[in-house]
Amino acid sequence: MQQSPDQIRRAYRQMRLIREFEERLHIENPKGEIAGFTHLYSGQEAIAVGVCETLGDNDYIISTHRGHGHCLAKGCDPRDMMHEIYGRADGLCKGRGGSMHIADLTKGMLGANGIVGAGQPIAVGAAVACKARKDGSISVSFTGDGASNQGTVFEAMNMAVVLKLPKLFVFEDNGYSEHTGSSYGIGGDLKTRIEGFGIPVWEADGFDYFSVYEATEKAGAHARAGKGPSAILATATRYFGHFEGDPQNYRAKDEVQNFRDTVDALKQIREKVTGAGIFTNEELDAIDAEVLALIDDCVESARSGPTPDADVLMSDVYIDY
Amino acid sequence: MTVMTMRDALNEALFEEMERDDKVIVMGEDVSGGAGGTSGSRDAAGGVFGVTKGLLPKFGEDRVIDTPISESAIVGLANGAALAGMRPVAELMFADFVGVAFDQIFNQMAKFRYMFGGKAKTPVVLRMAMGAGMNAAAQHSQTIYPILSAIPGLKVCVPSCPADAKGLLKQAIRDDDPVIFFEHKALYARKGEVPEGEYLTPFGEAALLREGRDVTVVALARMVTFATKAVDKLAEEGITCDLIDLRTTSPLDEDTVLESLSQTGRLVVVDESNPMCSIASEIAGLAATRGFADLVAPVQKVTAPHTPVPFARELERMYVPSPAQIEAAIRATLRDG
Ligand SMILES: Cc1ncc(C[n+]2csc(CCOP(=O)(O)OP(=O)(O)O)c2C)c(N)n1
Ligand SMILES: [Mg+2]
């Protein structure tokens, strides 16, 4: 734990923010005000935050259909995101994209994506730009265990290797690809597969912020030193269904509770930093309370946000000159 | 007749055809589900829309194949299995995912027969859920049948009701050409009467759902339900329409449309797709070429706007053609001519 108390406070708050954002959406979703598909990131917070805390504003990330955590970790505004998820005209994407398409290019956040495996080649493209800019920036893609089987991911990895790009492939194995266990869909094993590209791969405990952060620091240093792409392989779980409303027939009943009770990311970081005397429980409780109030606020304002009109429907298909 | 949902009608078609012919196999992501999960239950999904539920327990893992997320390989393996004598029914889940597998569809399955001198058969059925209505936004809501209907070698089904869904799917499975089978998401739970016993719905035969003197209304898939509302409402005022459900867009039943047009002289086409190069454009083109002499008013196209499908409820509602828009179009064609 070489991080400064400020860094740790920030990371803890980011993880708490993602957790409360998602847990709250899980409560709000059945009320019927939120439209469309919502895929929640609860359980995987340490991965998004562990990765993004090593990144700067010049660095890029690209996300997946399960994008809220990545967006928040890269600095997207929670209120603007909540308004987007509620389909508001003042949402981050004017209510056109919703949960699955949140993006904020000003934050180097190249978007959540509804097409599994679409993001990785795009992130390779951003890495081409990073390399051209010579400013030490890097590009990061997040890839689920299920997505790792998509041909586009293989192509993207090979391309990044061939072009020796500052590209980081973060694989998040959360145990499931929709209603199927990750072991079923992945032929061979993911680590060996990645190593087949001749790039370094760092394994991380996806429930442990410090583990992910340290792995990403190494991978980032590798990329920024011009040594080419590398990968992180982080294992965690998702606490909710594939999407909100998923009955989860494929999952043992007590599976999630066991994770929550034992290795939970927020529980772990709290135990570590209070144990090391960096923060007291009271100090962390105060952060929790501040985040909870913020989420209350976001939801309240999103619920009464302005609804988009025909102008929003018809504009931005092309650039207005 | 039995009343059932379109989901159940499709499921019945798959059951019947798999029972009848052991060359019929089903494949796709989570077509059964649960493999590698911790509950120990297989068939935990039965397809994300539940259409393939129960197939795995009945027909086993060799005939009901859960695949990794690899659309290009899913369609490729359906193609290869078909060339080697099987009759695969592959599911792409959302029609939008065609993008990932497009080469296997338009360069491969569609062209084998022609390119290989008429010697190849590619009896693949590619099922996919399409359409707006779930606020699933731009990458999970498209109605891309115009793109696929434009490709020589593919046949394209767009059922609007449970009976046609079942009959067309059975026909598609028995057809020796590749068939793209579109299932509108908003219709899965729609109930309708389905005939008892064995029947097939032939391709290229539109259904005449309402008969009238004044206007010919052509629709497909979910738009049939909206057009029916508009047509029935106007009937109360004494404005009567022929309502034609295309059922397949390739082959396209031009004769039924032209015959009706020759009686009414007025044409409204309702299509959930974007307007450019749409089925609405195709039917309007048909009227302008082969039906020109019969037209007494400009053809009215009722389509989605030239935009991606938006997310927010209000936006999606504006995007999808409504019964009110169809009604207005019918009135306009009567006024204009
Ligand atoms: C091209 C494509 N195929 C299939 C889907 C449907 N789908 C959405 S998420 C998903 C599973 C993804 O699993 P994983 O990559 O492990 O991510 P997780 O959901 O676990 O975060 C599938 C099959 C899709 N959106 N896009
Ligand atoms: Mg997963």
Side-chain angles (χ1 to χ4, degrees):
Chain A
M1 250 184 279
Q2 282 117 4
Q3 296 180 37
S4 71
D6 274 355
Q7 266 179 304
I8 293 171
R9 180 188 294 113
R10 199 188 124 85
Y12 177 85
R13 184 183 178 279
Q14 288 287 73
M15 283 167 60
R16 177 59 69 191
L17 179 65
I18 297 171
R19 173 66 55 87
E20 294 306 336
F21 195 93
E22 300 294 65
E23 302 275 330
R24 184 63 183 270
L25 280 175
H26 180 69
I27 293 168
E28 295 301 323
N29 209 276
K31 296 182 184 167
E33 286 172 66
I34 300 167
F37 287 107
T38 314
H39 305 89
L40 300 181
Y41 193 72
S42 277
Q44 300 174 233
E45 297 87 350
I47 306 176
V49 176
V51 169
C52 291
E53 284 302 296
T54 72
L55 303 178
D57 287 347
N58 285 341
D59 299 316
Y60 294 100
I61 69 163
I62 199 156
S63 176
T64 70
H65 56 287
R66 198 176 303 289
H68 305 169
H70 306 137
C71 292
L72 288 167
K74 193 68 172 61
C76 293
D77 184 87
R79 183 183 311 264
D80 295 348
M81 282 177 60
M82 195 64 88
H83 279 238
E84 184 61 30
I85 290 164
Y86 274 80
R88 298 309 176 195
D90 58 356
L92 197 42
C93 304
K94 300 185 185 169
R96 290 201 193 106
S99 164
M100 236 189 318
H101 304 292
I102 295 175
D104 188 348
L105 300 181
T106 65
K107 297 282 183 340
M109 201 287 147
L110 302 177
N113 205 307
I115 302 297
V116 169
Q120 292 76 7
I122 300 170
V124 171
V128 169
C130 292
K131 191 175 178 181
R133 273 193 329 231
K134 296 191 174 69
D135 60 357
S137 58
I138 68 171
S139 168
V140 180
S141 57
F142 290 92
T143 304
D145 49 278
S148 74
N149 301 313
Q150 190 69 286
T152 49
V153 176
F154 290 74
E155 294 180 24
M157 293 183 77
N158 188 54
M159 190 83 88
V161 171
V162 169
L163 303 180
K164 216 170 174 204
L165 297 174
K167 172 74 185 66
L168 173 55
F169 293 89
V170 177
F171 290 90
E172 296 186 75
D173 185 349
N174 63 2
Y176 294 97
S177 166
E178 277 187 2
H179 314 274
T180 296
S182 52
S183 63
Y184 175 85
I186 298 173
D189 97 299
L190 199 45
K191 178 151 188 270
T192 320
R193 195 191 276 181
I194 299 164
E195 283 167 349
F197 286 97
I199 61 175
V201 45
W202 285 278
E203 285 180 280
D205 175 355
F207 291 107
D208 178 1
Y209 162 74
F210 296 104
S211 167
V212 177
Y213 182 92
E214 281 154 26
T216 315
E217 263 200 321
K218 287 179 204 153
H222 182 85
R224 292 182 214 277
K227 294 182 186 162
S230 63
I232 307 273
L233 178 50
T235 314
T237 197
R238 59 167 154 77
Y239 284 167
F240 298 116
H242 172 60
F243 58 90
E244 283 310 275
D246 173 8
Q248 304 188 70
N249 297 329
Y250 47 86
R251 208 166 197 190
K253 290 277 168 273
D254 53 357
E255 183 178 295
V256 170
Q257 197 55 50
N258 285 343
F259 282 118
R260 283 192 189 261
D261 291 344
T262 54
V263 290
D264 179 78
L266 272 304
K267 184 171 137 74
Q268 277 202 51
I269 190 171
R270 177 180 279 256
E271 283 168 6
K272 281 193 183 143
V273 303
T274 54
I278 302 170
F279 292 114
T280 63
N281 273 313
E282 291 67 36
E283 285 170 307
L284 297 181
D285 290 346
I287 297 176
D288 293 356
E290 177 261 317
V291 167
L292 262 178
L294 172 64
I295 298 293
D296 276 349
D297 227 46
C298 292
V299 170
E300 200 173 316
S301 81
R303 290 184 63 200
S304 55
T307 54
D309 59 13
D311 257 5
V312 178
L313 173 65
M314 298 308 297
S315 53
D316 293 332
V317 178
Y318 304 101
I319 288 176
D320 253 347
Y321 286 107
Chain B
M1 293 275 183
T2 324
V3 173
M4 66 172 81
T5 61
M6 188 160 116
R7 175 184 289 111
D8 289 344
L10 290 163
N11 184 258
E12 230 179 59
L14 289 167
F15 255 96
E16 288 176 16
E17 292 306 300
M18 290 186 81
E19 226 158 18
R20 187 183 153 270
D21 181 353
D22 61 15
K23 294 215 161 36
V24 178
I25 54 174
V26 163
M27 58 185 66
E29 294 155 23
D30 285 310
V31 289
S32 104
T38 47
S39 72
S41 128
R42 287 292 265 122
D43 208 32
V48 299
F49 295 102
V51 173
T52 47
K53 189 78 184 163
L55 296 179
L56 180 105
K58 174 87 200 252
F59 299 105
E61 292 191 359
D62 287 342
R63 295 185 63 199
V64 182
I65 303 169
D66 273 323
T67 67
I69 310 178
S70 308
E71 284 79 12
S72 188
I74 293 168
V75 183
L77 82 92
N79 287 346
L83 287 177
M86 306 299 284
R87 306 192 83 83
V89 183
E91 176 179 310
L92 272 189
M93 204 181 302
F94 288 81
D96 316 66
F97 307 163
V98 155
V100 184
F102 204 46
D103 176 66
Q104 288 294 337
I105 297 169
F106 94 113
N107 276 323
Q108 311 302 329
M109 65 159 67
K111 296 184 168 63
F112 288 154
R113 183 165 183 79
Y114 187 82
M115 285 192 308
F116 298 164
K119 289 190 277 287
K121 282 183 197 163
T122 318
V124 173
V125 180
L126 211 52
R127 296 182 36 246
M128 54 191 84
M130 69 162 176
M134 291 177 79
N135 306 104
Q139 297 174 340
H140 283 73
S141 305
Q142 298 166 86
T143 49
I144 51 161
Y145 43 76
I147 297 172
L148 290 145
S149 304
I151 298 167
L154 299 180
K155 294 175 177 170
V156 179
C157 298
V158 284
S160 70
C161 64
D164 288 348
K166 181 176 176 187
L168 287 170
L169 184 53
K170 283 169 69 86
Q171 175 63 39
I173 292 170
R174 294 189 200 184
D175 201 291
D176 280 338
D177 285 319
V179 178
I180 312 295
F181 200 91
F182 285 103
E183 301 164 9
H184 200 295
K185 297 191 279 286
L187 297 178
Y188 276 130
R190 186 186 171 201
K191 286 193 175 145
E193 290 192 336
V194 172
E196 306 283 348
E198 174 79 15
Y199 71 97
L200 301 172
T201 305
F203 290 174
E205 286 186 22
L208 186 60
L209 300 183
R210 295 285 187 276
E211 284 185 68
R213 321 168 286 282
D214 302 317
V215 178
T216 299
V217 179
V218 177
L220 65 160
R222 187 189 189 199
M223 291 303 107
V224 172
T225 64
F226 287 9
T228 306
K229 278 188 195 154
V231 164
D232 288 350
K233 184 171 172 215
L234 288 167
E236 290 168 14
E237 293 177 24
I239 298 171
T240 66
C241 303
D242 270 356
L243 173 57
I244 296 170
D245 176 357
L246 290 174
R247 301 203 286 195
T248 61
T249 54
S250 177
L252 183 65
D253 183 356
E254 299 189 347
D255 292 345
T256 297
V257 175
L258 290 170
E259 206 177 290
S260 170
L261 183 60
S262 73
Q263 302 299 309
T264 63
R266 300 168 201 275
L267 178 63
V268 174
V269 202
V270 193
D271 181 353
E272 188 181 322
S273 293
N274 302 116
M276 292 250 287
C277 309
S278 58
I279 300 301
S281 307
E282 185 63 29
I283 300 290
L286 175 70
T289 50
R290 294 181 58 202
F292 187 68
D294 294 318
L295 282 173
V296 299
V299 178
Q300 291 283 335
K301 284 167 65 181
V302 184
T303 68
H306 185 64
T307 74
V309 188
F311 161 70
R313 285 202 173 100
E314 298 77 9
L315 296 178
E316 195 193 60
R317 225 175 279 132
M318 283 185 263
Y319 174 90
V320 177
S322 65
Q325 275 171 280
I326 301 168
E327 185 191 326
I330 295 170
R331 290 188 195 281
T333 187
L334 284 164
R335 198 174 48 233
D336 291 348

